[in-house]
Amino acid sequence: AGVSTQSTGKQLEDLKTELSTLQVQKVTGGATNKLSKIKDVRKSIARCHTVLRANQRENLRKFYQKKKYIPLDLRPKKTRALRRMLTAHEASIKTKRQQKKDAHFSQRVFAIKA
């Protein structure tokens, strides 16, 4: 969302240090309420990583917007068959032979009496 990368990074560092202290307390036999907090801290760290990754991907999308090629992980997934399908332009291209046929033997128009 609208969270800056610096603040998220700072928050991540704080959470990591907090987690390490909690893990030390766990080994030394800390209070049970501290032990239950380990899970919450780990989940918060995961949330920070998610936000950082989302921001990074958003910036990459902006960077590659006008480029000819886009990295594979930023391309639409679809299915293997759809990715290999001819583009609309490729499908509409005619061979020289077909162009000549079309030019010399155009569609006949018949005047049909009703």
Side-chain angles (χ1 to χ4, degrees), residues 53-94:
R53 178 81 173 134
N55 289 346
Q56 187 182 35
R57 283 177 69 85
E58 192 180 323
N59 291 336
L60 281 170
R61 278 188 200 285
K62 283 179 191 166
F63 177 75
Y64 283 107
Q65 213 165 23
K66 300 282 188 259
K67 303 276 191 278
K68 184 175 180 183
Y69 296 111
I70 299 172
L72 296 178
D73 62 331
L74 295 179
R75 292 180 197 174
K77 180 87 166 92
K78 298 184 180 174
T79 62
R80 195 165 189 266
L82 281 174
R83 289 195 302 267
R84 278 152 184 71
M85 198 166 57
L86 292 177
T87 63
H89 174 70
E90 289 168 341
S92 68
I93 293 174
K94 290 184 178 179

Side-chain angles (χ1 to χ4, degrees), residues 101-109:
K101 263 189 188 177
D102 291 346
H104 296 297
F105 306 100
S106 58
Q107 183 74 49
R108 294 193 208 168
V109 180

